Amino acid sequence: MASRHPSAGATTPSSPQMEVSRIAEMRAVHSAFLYLHNQELEFRRWQRELTHIPAPPFGEAARSEWLRERFSSVGLEGVHADELGNTFGLLRRSNSGPLIAISAHLDTVFPLGTQLQTLEDGNRLYGPGISDNAAGVVALLAIASALKRAELQTAANVVFIGNVGEEGEGSLRGMRHIFSTPPWRESIRSLLVIDGAGTDTYVTQALGSRRFEITFQGPGGHSWSDFGTPNPIVLLSRALAHFSEVAVPSTPRTTFNIGVVHGGTSVNSIPESATARVDLRSASGDELQKLEERLRECVDEAWTEVPLSFRAGEVRVRFAIKSIGDRPAAELPGDARILKIIRAVDSHLRVKSIPRLASTDANVPLALGIEATTIGAGGDGGGAHTIREWYDCSNRDLGLKRILLTLLALTGVNE
Ligand SMILES: [Zn+2]
């Protein structure tokens, strides 16, 4: 369906497919496409430069600064960072009205001190975080730059966001902050998240997770003379053993993992403390809630088995369950506009893509009922979260076109 539809204007309702075709035929859009194709070498330079800047969870300041400079130099307005380091740049068409947001996370999983070297071999770039998410941040910048250069007149204002805190213990803190702070909370109508490489998926379901640290504590003592004193390692093991037998549904898929256990000091001491970290995941918020309740019951059960005399008094056996991560589960409604748009764009570009269940920055708006999806930055990638991570730049511009068309269909664009 490539024919021009005469009645399809930015303000006239039309099918997403017709709207995408209309936009793709505009002269300014062609010039943006050309820019995205021709700037590949510049994009590689940005991507390597960015990968060299450390951005461990809670340490994204230097990347935030790098992005602010680039946002300003491509001509975005109102460039600033908030108190967490989330970086914003605006493409403003009017002084008010709804915003369409496009974002990429700045942080990596790599702790400070990781060797951040990059290597280029033909179309392949190597480096920790080169794909997840240097590719995403480069795409964000490439799209901002293309829109400015082609002088595209979006109907709605666009905010470009480089956000902190997506990975691991960051636990979506960047997005969570944005969507709980004015003016963003009230004005962002939809969010397009760019994360990692690829053109073949779009996220329709936000995988929820809850993470807990469970600690048992007791008086401890000598292995011989205090024999009989409840042992926190044993209590914790019992709780974990109970929990490991909990049945979880396969639809909606629900899983759990016990990832870390530590406790005790020496073989001839009854430990004073033992701790485990547990990861619960589900596509359904209700299932996540049920699983959390089961975990709490298992811990409580193990504690209840302790003789009463050790559960009362000064130095008694205790437990604590601390939340160390909470990502909401949610789902895009089947008739969401953003879903129709991405499918129309993929059909226009003849891209074969499939819906995906994932835990990304889109979890936050989705859980608030705001339309959002996550797509890749084009090209191809692998070895994510390892120091052998790679990104293949071949056909990056297809992914960039996909992002541009999706964004423009979301904002509407004036001829
Ligand atoms: Zn990522």
Side-chain angles (χ1 to χ4, degrees):
M1 206 196 277
S3 70
R4 198 183 198 100
H5 194 278
S7 69
T11 53
T12 316
S14 64
S15 82
Q17 196 65 68
M18 286 193 292
E19 180 64 359
V20 167
S21 301
R22 182 188 74 86
I23 292 169
E25 280 175 20
M26 293 173 66
R27 185 186 295 247
V29 174
H30 275 262
S31 107
F33 282 175
L34 198 64
Y35 169 82
L36 293 173
H37 179 77
N38 290 341
Q39 289 305 108
E40 174 54 30
L41 292 182
E42 174 78 345
F43 299 159
R44 287 182 196 191
R45 270 193 294 276
W46 288 350
Q47 199 167 350
R48 293 186 67 180
E49 208 176 307
L50 193 64
T51 305
H52 294 151
I53 304 172
F58 299 94
E60 302 96 337
R63 273 200 191 187
S64 169
E65 197 185 324
W66 183 92
L67 189 60
R68 286 202 297 283
E69 276 169 26
R70 292 296 179 295
F71 272 176
S72 297
S73 68
V74 303
L76 294 183
E77 296 170 48
V79 175
H80 73 283
D82 66 15
E83 58 270 38
L84 266 63
N86 291 310
T87 299
F88 304 88
L90 282 161
L91 192 72
R92 222 194 301 260
R93 293 294 165 225
S94 61
N95 283 330
S96 58
L99 277 170
I100 303 299
I102 174 169
S103 73
H105 70 83
L106 297 170
D107 55 315
T108 69
V109 297
F110 303 100
L112 213 59
T114 305
Q115 288 286 324
L116 299 175
Q117 282 145 348
T118 63
L119 206 92
E120 198 164 339
D121 180 13
N123 280 335
R124 266 198 184 205
L125 306 179
Y126 294 85
I130 195 108
S131 174
D132 179 15
N133 193 25
V137 177
V138 165
L140 188 70
L141 206 49
I143 297 298
S145 184
L147 286 171
K148 286 301 285 187
R149 287 185 182 234
E151 294 176 358
L152 267 152
Q153 303 300 314
T154 57
N157 295 329
V158 185
V159 59
F160 291 81
I161 306 172
N163 61 284
V164 301
E166 193 272 343
E167 301 282 8
E169 59 265 47
S171 205
L172 310 183
R173 68 187 181 103
M175 258 323 146
R176 221 185 280 276
H177 184 73
I178 292 167
F179 280 96
S180 59
T181 310
W184 314 119
R185 184 182 49 199
E186 298 78 15
S187 51
I188 294 177
R189 192 172 58 193
S190 46
L191 171 68
L192 182 63
V193 178
I194 314 300
D195 199 342
T199 43
D200 51 357
T201 61
Y202 50 95
V203 170
T204 55
Q205 273 184 295
L207 176 62
S209 70
R210 292 186 192 177
R211 291 168 183 175
F212 298 96
E213 189 176 82
I214 299 158
T215 303
F216 274 92
Q217 285 180 306
H222 191 273
S223 63
W224 174 259
S225 52
D226 295 311
F227 183 68
T229 300
N231 183 320
I233 291 181
V234 173
L235 298 175
L236 180 68
S237 306
R238 278 197 193 127
L240 298 178
H242 291 323
F243 182 65
S244 68
E245 279 158 23
V246 168
V248 284
S250 49
T251 342
R253 185 168 154 81
T254 304
T255 67
F256 57 81
N257 181 54
I258 298 155
V260 178
V261 175
H262 58 85
T265 50
S266 72
V267 71
N268 58 349
S269 306
I270 299 167
E272 288 175 83
S273 155
T275 296
R277 290 184 158 206
V278 184
D279 177 32
L280 318 180
R281 293 181 180 231
S282 181
S284 145
D286 287 347
E287 290 302 331
L288 214 46
Q289 180 59 31
K290 276 191 225 162
L291 195 56
E292 177 183 337
E293 282 161 18
R294 292 296 292 125
L295 177 67
R296 289 181 182 279
E297 281 164 23
C298 291
V299 173
D300 195 61
E301 228 172 278
W303 181 76
T304 313
E305 287 164 15
V306 173
L308 208 55
S309 59
F310 283 103
R311 281 187 276 143
E314 275 285 279
V315 212
R316 60 187 194 278
V317 174
R318 291 169 287 149
F319 70 82
I321 302 174
K322 182 177 144 203
S323 166
I324 53 167
D326 183 359
R327 297 171 180 236
E331 198 171 345
L332 255 182
D335 62 349
R337 183 163 171 269
I338 199 168
L339 205 56
K340 291 179 185 160
I341 287 174
I342 186 79
R343 286 181 177 147
V345 167
D346 285 349
S347 134
H348 179 86
L349 294 174
R350 298 177 200 282
V351 163
K352 275 199 169 51
S353 62
I354 49 164
R356 193 162 75 100
L357 166 71
S359 175
T360 67
D361 279 321
N363 285 40
V364 175
L366 284 174
L368 295 171
I370 296 168
E371 289 199 357
T373 188
T374 300
I375 60 178
D380 195 7
H385 298 192
T386 74
I387 52 168
R388 290 171 303 283
E389 189 169 345
W390 56 270
Y391 178 80
D392 194 312
C393 308
S394 320
N395 295 322
R396 185 206 300 263
D397 64 330
L398 175 64
L400 297 180
K401 281 181 183 175
R402 185 179 184 232
I403 298 166
L404 184 70
L405 281 178
T406 304
L407 183 67
L408 291 176
L410 285 170
T411 60
V413 49
N414 304 317
E415 300 252 15

